[in-house]
Amino acid sequence: MDGLLQAILLGIIEGLTEFLPISSTGHLLIAQIWLDRRSDLFNIAIQCGAILAVTLVYRERLWTLATRWHRDPEIRDLLGKIVAAFGITAVLGLLAKRLGVALPETVAPVAWALIIGGFVIFAVEAWLKRQPVRSQIGWGVAFAVGIAQVIAGVFPGTSRSAAAIFAALLFGLTDRRRAAEFAFIVGIPTMFAATGYELLQTLTDPVARIREPWRDLVVAFAVSAAVGFAAVKWLLRYIAEHSFVPFAYYRILLGAVLLTIGG
C-alpha cells in the first residue's frame, strides 16, 4: 500500500480510538502488522492531531479559562488543577522516559494491558452504581489524573484517556461527562508537549530529519484531527446516558485477538 494511503488509514484509526477507552496503541499495533512501522514522532504527532480535535470541541471552555482566570476564583481553581495534573505528568513522564521505564509496544504487553483494563472498567462501573453523582473536581482528582497519564505511557495498551477518566471517577468525580472533560482538557498540554519534545529530537538529528516522511505526517495529523473531532462529539453524547461497560467487552476481545495473533 502507498505510504500516503497508509498515513491516512493510521490517521483514521488514531482519531477514532484516541478518546475512546480502548487504546489507540492496540489498534495501531494491529494496523502496523500489515503496514509500515512508523517513527515515534509520527505516532505521537497523530495523537496530537486528535488532541487538536479536543481543543476545537472545548474551544469556548478553553477561551474562558484563558481570559477569565484572573477575575473568577472558580475558574482560577480549575485552571490550577489542570496545571497541577499536567505538571505531574510532565515531570514524572520525562523522568520515566530518561530512565527508560516503559514496556515495549509489542503484542503481549499491549494485549494484557487491554484485558486487565477491561476488567478494571467492570469493577469501576460496579462501584459507580453505588455512588452519588459528584461533579466537583478536587485536588485528589488532579493528582490522580496526572499520575494516570504517566502509567498509561509506561504501560502501552492502557489507553491514556481511559486511565485519566477512570482515575477521575475513582477519586471523587463520579459524573462521567465531567470526568471525561477534565481528562481530555488535561490531555491537551500533555500531548502538545510530548509532540514538541519528539519534534525537537527529530529536528536536531540530521539523519532522523531526512528520513521522516513529513508529507505523510502532516496528512495523518489532519485526518486524525478531523476524525477525532467526530469521535469526541459522539463519545460525550454517549456517556451522558450510558456506561463504559461495552468498551470493557471490546477491550477484552481485542486483547484476546492480539494474543492470538502474537501467539
Side-chain angles (χ1 to χ4, degrees):
M1 185 186 295
D2 177 73
L4 183 59
L5 290 178
Q6 290 187 29
I8 292 171
L9 178 58
L10 291 171
I12 292 171
I13 293 171
E14 172 60 33
L16 283 174
T17 59
E18 175 63 29
F19 303 107
L20 306 184
I22 55 177
S23 174
S24 60
T25 301
H27 289 79
L28 290 173
L29 185 63
I30 291 177
Q32 291 184 14
I33 290 174
W34 295 282
L35 305 180
D36 296 336
R37 187 76 179 176
R38 297 288 177 156
S39 68
D40 288 344
L41 174 61
F42 181 94
N43 291 329
I44 291 178
I46 61 174
Q47 291 179 24
C48 189
I51 292 298
L52 177 60
V54 170
T55 306
L56 296 175
V57 170
Y58 290 114
R59 59 191 180 278
E60 294 180 3
R61 184 71 161 153
L62 293 172
W63 180 252
T64 299
L65 288 170
T67 59
R68 293 181 53 193
W69 64 270
H70 58 291
R71 299 196 306 267
D72 190 324
E74 289 187 10
I75 292 177
R76 190 159 55 247
D77 178 70
L78 175 60
L79 186 60
K81 288 165 182 171
I82 292 170
V83 171
F86 166 68
I88 291 169
T89 299
V91 172
L92 296 182
L94 184 59
L95 180 61
K97 190 172 184 67
R98 290 288 175 87
L99 295 175
V101 182
L103 291 178
E105 290 187 6
T106 51
V107 172
V110 171
W112 283 113
L114 282 164
I115 292 170
I116 293 169
F119 285 107
V120 169
I121 291 176
F122 284 138
V124 174
E125 284 290 354
W127 176 79
L128 279 176
K129 289 180 180 179
R130 304 189 298 272
Q131 305 300 314
V133 176
R134 293 186 291 268
S135 301
Q136 182 64 34
I137 300 173
W139 284 102
V141 170
F143 287 114
V145 168
I147 293 171
Q149 292 194 129
V150 178
I151 292 173
V154 172
F155 296 96
T158 302
S159 170
R160 188 201 60 78
S161 61
I165 291 170
F166 284 96
L169 291 171
L170 284 172
F171 278 79
L173 184 56
T174 56
D175 182 328
R176 289 185 181 85
R177 190 179 178 92
R178 183 86 162 133
E181 176 185 285
F182 185 74
F184 291 164
I185 290 177
V186 170
I188 293 172
T190 300
M191 292 311 303
F192 282 158
T195 303
Y197 178 86
E198 289 296 338
L199 180 61
L200 182 62
Q201 296 291 102
T202 300
L203 292 177
T204 54
D205 183 338
V207 176
R209 187 169 66 243
I210 293 171
R211 288 181 177 176
E212 187 65 43
W214 295 102
R215 180 199 61 172
D216 291 2
L217 187 151
V218 171
V219 170
F221 177 93
V223 171
S224 177
V227 175
F229 184 86
V232 171
K233 298 286 281 187
W234 175 83
L235 180 64
L236 293 175
R237 289 195 301 269
Y238 175 85
I239 62 177
E241 298 180 359
H242 302 86
S243 75
F244 288 102
V245 166
F247 298 111
Y249 286 111
Y250 181 83
R251 287 180 66 105
I252 293 169
L253 176 61
L254 178 61
V257 169
L258 281 173
L259 287 176
T260 301
I261 293 173

